[in-house]
Amino acid sequence: MTNSAYTPRTEDAIRHWMVDKLSERLRVEPTAIRLDEPLVALGVDSMQFVVLVGELEDWLGCRFASNPLLDYPSVNALSQYLARQLQTGKTVIDPPSD
């Protein structure tokens, strides 16, 4: 982002956004989204993964070098990882290095 007024999204904001999107897509109450469960266990299919990742990129104002849900498959894990990456000023989120 080149906008100097941009403030990276917080872990809580990312988590809230994901829960809202997932509850809409899966047609369940937000309280039904288990934050530490892999999204596939919640019923998210591969097409929904692709759409979710694209919308997340747009909302966050960044790009993912790979699908972050492969390495961070739950709402909590992904929210924590993305918030840490964005706070360093990254606009391209790389997969974790082992």
Side-chain angles (χ1 to χ4, degrees), residues 42-92:
L42 299 174
V44 178
D45 65 28
S46 60
M47 182 56 92
Q48 291 168 323
F49 269 119
V50 171
V51 171
L52 182 66
V53 167
E55 290 177 347
L56 191 53
E57 284 179 324
D58 289 342
W59 182 70
L60 292 173
C62 68
R63 292 291 166 242
F64 302 123
S66 67
N67 184 339
L69 291 169
L70 297 175
D71 295 305
Y72 302 95
S74 72
V75 171
N76 274 342
L78 184 59
S79 299
Q80 292 167 2
Y81 175 71
L82 292 176
R84 284 193 313 266
Q85 295 299 303
L86 293 169
Q87 290 199 338
T88 66
K90 288 189 173 190
T91 57
V92 175

